[in-house]
Amino acid sequence: MAYTTADARRGLLDTVAAAIEELGTALAALGEAYEQLDEQSAERLEQELFRPVQIAYGRAQRTYMEFAARHELPSRAFQAASPGAPSTGVKGFLDSALQAVARADGELAELQDSMLPVEVGDADLRAGLREVRELLSGLSGRMREFVCT
């Protein structure tokens, strides 16, 4: 059976969806960490970590939805992720968020490296993926730094 452009586009969407789910997991973990921090630390977490992940999450969803619409492919809605048990603690939530961001970035990096977005995608898709990855760059270091301080 031949691999069609439509199959490739669906596979591309599945990969972007997996990255979106990981970003949702990171957001849930960061939100729970926020709730457990004092006011000053919580504000810092929101500015340095939560906000960039939230923007990347929204941009990834927009990229996903617009690509699906342009190519008349079925799309889906993304549900909020569960942050985990409160007993995980701030460090545990930050570790969970760090791992989820790394998995999302890894999914997108692998997708970009595959050249699939060039072969069956379009310029808007490539720009969206690039923007999401730019938003995620440096987050791992900032999360580790946040835990240390």
Side-chain angles (χ1 to χ4, degrees), residues 56-89:
Y57 179 72
R59 181 61 175 119
Q61 283 188 330
R62 188 172 75 216
T63 298
Y64 174 94
M65 299 301 273
E66 289 175 353
F67 181 78
R70 276 192 305 276
H71 298 285
E72 299 177 354
L73 296 169
S75 64
R76 59 178 248 207
F78 295 91
Q79 304 301 317
S82 171
S87 61
T88 301

Side-chain angles (χ1 to χ4, degrees), residues 111-122:
L111 181 60
Q112 286 178 314
D113 289 347
S114 75
M115 296 303 290
L116 194 58
V118 173
E119 293 169 8
V120 299
D122 52 42

Side-chain angles (χ1 to χ4, degrees), residues 23 27 30 46 49-59 135:
L23 292 175
L27 280 176
L30 290 170
E46 182 176 4
L49 306 175
F50 186 86
R51 186 115 171 93
V53 174
Q54 184 180 42
I55 293 168
Y57 179 72
R59 181 61 175 119
L135 288 163

